């Protein structure tokens, strides 16, 4: 496994996800937006992209004859395949599935989103995070999630005007 390639791929996807913004979306909508973003990222790289791709991991009984699925898989000519799972919660099964995918020679990326801190998964699984804010929706809407653009702008310079003057004629006359 090429660790530098794994890191570069994860960093590229993280940069793509960092640009994603949305306001007042339900949990399923956020997950769908992130899956769509991962698909757009892979397509933008010129790779073949698959949604709901079969995993190397079988489902638990009584469905052990079936395969689990991955949110996104990318086939690329110049490197190892990439598999991506998108999750809000920390599910042990997701980590186990991604570890198995990595052991099968794929670059395994876990896109985690949510409001809390994100515990990194076991190596060699890579994590891409998408922090969001949440609020209770009105009228039974449940929890709504938002991700606004990052603002790296410095605070504005304050003027040296003496505001203790009782009258500011140029503003109000």
């Amino acid at each position: 496994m090429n660790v530098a390639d794994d890191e570069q791929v994860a960093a590229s996807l993280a940069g793509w996800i960092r640009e994603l913004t949305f306001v007042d979306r339900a949990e399923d909508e956020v997950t769908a937006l992130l899956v769509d973003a991962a698909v757009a990222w892979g397509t933008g790289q010129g790779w073949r992209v698959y949604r709901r791709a079969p995993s190397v991991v079988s489902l638990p009984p009584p469905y052990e004859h079936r395969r689990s699925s991955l949110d996104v898989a990318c086939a690329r000519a110049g490197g190892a395949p990439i598999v991506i799972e998108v999750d809000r919660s920390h599910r042990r099964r997701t980590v186990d599935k991604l570890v198995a995918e990595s052991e099968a020679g794929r670059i395994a990326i876990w896109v985690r989103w949510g409001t809390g801190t994100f515990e990194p998964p076991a190596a060699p699984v890579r994590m891409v995070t998408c922090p969001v804010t949440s609020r209770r929706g009105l009228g039974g809407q449940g929890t709504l999630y938002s991700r606004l653009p990052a603002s790296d702008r410095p605070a504005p310079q304050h003027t040296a005007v003496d505001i203790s003057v009782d009258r500011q004629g140029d503003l109000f006359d």
Side-chain angles (χ1 to χ4, degrees):
M1 192 95 345
N2 183 343
V3 174
D5 187 37
D6 292 11
E7 291 173 359
Q8 184 178 11
V9 167
S12 174
L13 178 57
W16 190 277
I17 297 290
R18 198 173 306 120
E19 300 301 316
L20 185 65
T21 61
F22 50 88
V23 176
D24 290 345
R25 299 295 181 110
E27 181 177 339
D28 290 345
E29 292 176 304
V30 175
T31 298
L33 283 170
L34 288 166
V35 168
D36 290 346
V39 167
W41 167 77
T43 302
Q45 304 297 321
W47 302 327
R48 287 184 318 221
V49 179
Y50 305 92
R51 291 174 185 263
R52 307 284 304 156
S55 172
V56 297
V57 175
S58 298
L59 289 171
Y63 303 105
E64 63 272 3
H65 60 287
R66 295 183 184 168
R67 295 277 171 211
S68 183
S69 64
L70 299 155
D71 291 322
V72 179
C74 302
R76 50 190 193 136
I82 300 163
V83 296
I84 302 166
E85 280 288 288
V86 177
D87 245 326
R88 184 180 69 85
S89 61
H90 185 89
R91 296 185 324 152
R92 184 74 217 159
R93 182 157 168 74
T94 299
V95 175
D96 293 344
K97 183 188 335 182
L98 288 170
V99 168
E101 292 293 331
S102 182
E103 289 171 353
R106 295 162 178 90
I107 296 174
I109 301 175
W110 191 10
V111 176
R112 285 284 312 275
W113 69 272
T115 58
T117 58
F118 304 105
E119 181 182 324
V125 175
R126 304 289 180 203
M127 181 183 286
V128 171
T129 61
C130 181
V132 299
T133 58
S134 68
R135 69 176 186 86
R136 297 295 296 158
L138 300 174
Q141 284 181 303
T143 304
L144 299 175
Y145 301 93
S146 298
R147 179 174 170 83
L148 301 174
S151 178
D152 293 334
R153 297 181 299 177
Q157 292 290 328
H158 294 284
T159 61
V161 175
D162 181 9
I163 60 170
S164 64
V165 178
D166 290 335
R167 185 156 172 82
Q168 295 178 350
D170 57 332
L171 293 176
F172 302 106
D173 287 340

